[in-house]
Amino acid sequence: MEGSPVPHEPPIYRRIADRLRQAILSGELRDGDRLPGENALMSEYGIARATARQALAVLINEGVAVPKRGSGVYVRQFRPIRRHGSRRLAREQWGAGRAIWDSDVSGRPYTVDELLIAREPVAEDVGRVLDCDEVWVRRRRYSVDGRPVQLAASHFPAALVEGTPVTTPDTGAGGVYARLRDLGHAPVHFTEEVRARMPAPEEAARLRLPAGTPVIEVCRTAFAAGGAAVELNKMIMDAASYVLQYDFDA
């Protein structure tokens, strides 16, 4: 129609980024593949180096590509982990000797490394929840499909778990919640607080996060019958690797 505005065409670097993104979504470019470099984009599209750099920066900032110094920019595509808040913590899961992570990964390979177990003086915020002076802490990193996705630090009242498998690398079938059950302090209720933030440098390094990738921080408290808190678990998750699912009845 006469007088209608002419649709605004995105800048060339955006159009190039859109084409590269489509190649990733279609499977033409797969996880770990090297994207065309600045020189290749300059030659193909007749653009300046700064424009080629902008196009690649769009995908890096979206978290679908990651730069490797001296090597290039690579596709970072990962099927998200669907973390079902209530299902993974159900007594039927750990009570039957299954790891709660089995509910998250649905058969995908996962590993636990950087495991550190220590008795420590309690931090103020943890002490307010667990009502104790000292804790046993289990720190670990989880990787799925070979990629680090989560850091976790579980805190337990020291007097409660001293000398038990909770303080050893192998906690046995069903993990720490099954061992708390064996001690007569089975978790019967959980609360989780969730927030998003940017990672600290040490967190970004351990999770191998591309620049600009946020994390999800989950703080979970496990309560035994009678209301006593028996664990406080602080988890830091790569936000690009997770979908958090919670179900509620109306």
Side-chain angles (χ1 to χ4, degrees):
M1 178 184 298
E2 185 177 353
S4 296
V6 177
H8 178 68
E9 187 174 39
I12 181 63
Y13 77 89
R14 285 280 181 187
R15 283 178 275 152
I16 295 171
D18 289 343
R19 291 172 189 172
L20 292 174
R21 188 189 303 103
Q22 184 55 43
I24 294 171
L25 294 175
S26 68
E28 180 182 344
L29 289 171
R30 299 181 180 277
D31 187 45
D33 286 351
R34 187 178 185 275
L35 291 172
E38 292 176 9
N39 290 338
L41 294 176
M42 291 165 60
S43 175
E44 180 176 355
Y45 294 100
I47 56 176
R49 183 174 300 278
T51 304
R53 189 171 297 142
Q54 280 182 296
L56 294 172
V58 169
L59 300 179
I60 293 169
N61 291 335
E62 290 177 355
V64 297
V66 58
K68 296 183 181 179
R69 181 169 297 180
S71 177
V73 179
Y74 292 80
V75 176
R76 186 180 190 264
Q77 194 175 35
F78 184 76
R79 178 160 57 93
I81 300 161
R82 182 166 292 276
R83 182 184 186 273
H84 194 290
S86 57
R87 185 184 303 149
R88 66 194 305 271
L89 295 172
R91 185 188 299 266
E92 290 78 10
Q93 183 74 14
W94 52 264
R98 295 188 295 269
I100 61 176
W101 264 77
D102 292 341
S103 172
D104 294 344
V105 297
S106 302
R108 297 165 69 182
Y110 73 94
T111 57
V112 184
D113 62 9
E114 296 187 2
L115 176 63
L116 297 172
I117 305 171
R119 180 167 177 155
E120 302 175 359
V122 70
E124 183 179 352
D125 60 330
V126 177
R128 285 196 298 267
V129 176
L130 296 182
D131 191 24
C132 62
D133 297 322
E134 289 193 312
V135 288
W136 276 97
V137 187
R138 300 179 61 88
R139 293 185 173 86
R140 61 267 188 217
R141 181 178 69 172
Y142 292 92
S143 296
V144 174
D145 295 340
R147 176 172 294 169
V149 295
Q150 184 187 132
L151 309 174
S154 294
H155 305 73
F156 305 88
L160 179 67
V161 300
E162 186 74 42
T164 74
V166 173
T167 67
T168 64
D170 184 2
T171 56
V176 294
Y177 294 146
R179 301 295 75 77
L180 289 171
R181 176 202 58 195
D182 297 344
L183 294 170
H185 299 279
V188 298
H189 180 73
F190 297 92
T191 65
E192 287 192 343
E193 297 179 351
V194 181
R195 74 183 182 106
R197 61 173 173 82
M198 298 307 296
E202 182 262 349
E203 294 166 344
R206 292 177 65 195
L207 290 172
R208 303 176 194 165
L209 298 178
T213 303
V215 293
I216 300 169
E217 181 178 326
V218 178
C219 185
R220 181 176 70 233
T221 306
F223 297 91
V230 292
E231 181 213 29
L232 179 66
N233 190 357
K234 296 184 176 183
M235 293 157 276
I236 308 298
M237 306 173 185
D238 172 5
S241 296
Y242 274 90
V243 173
L244 306 186
Q245 179 179 344
Y246 297 92
D247 295 335
F248 304 94
D249 293 330

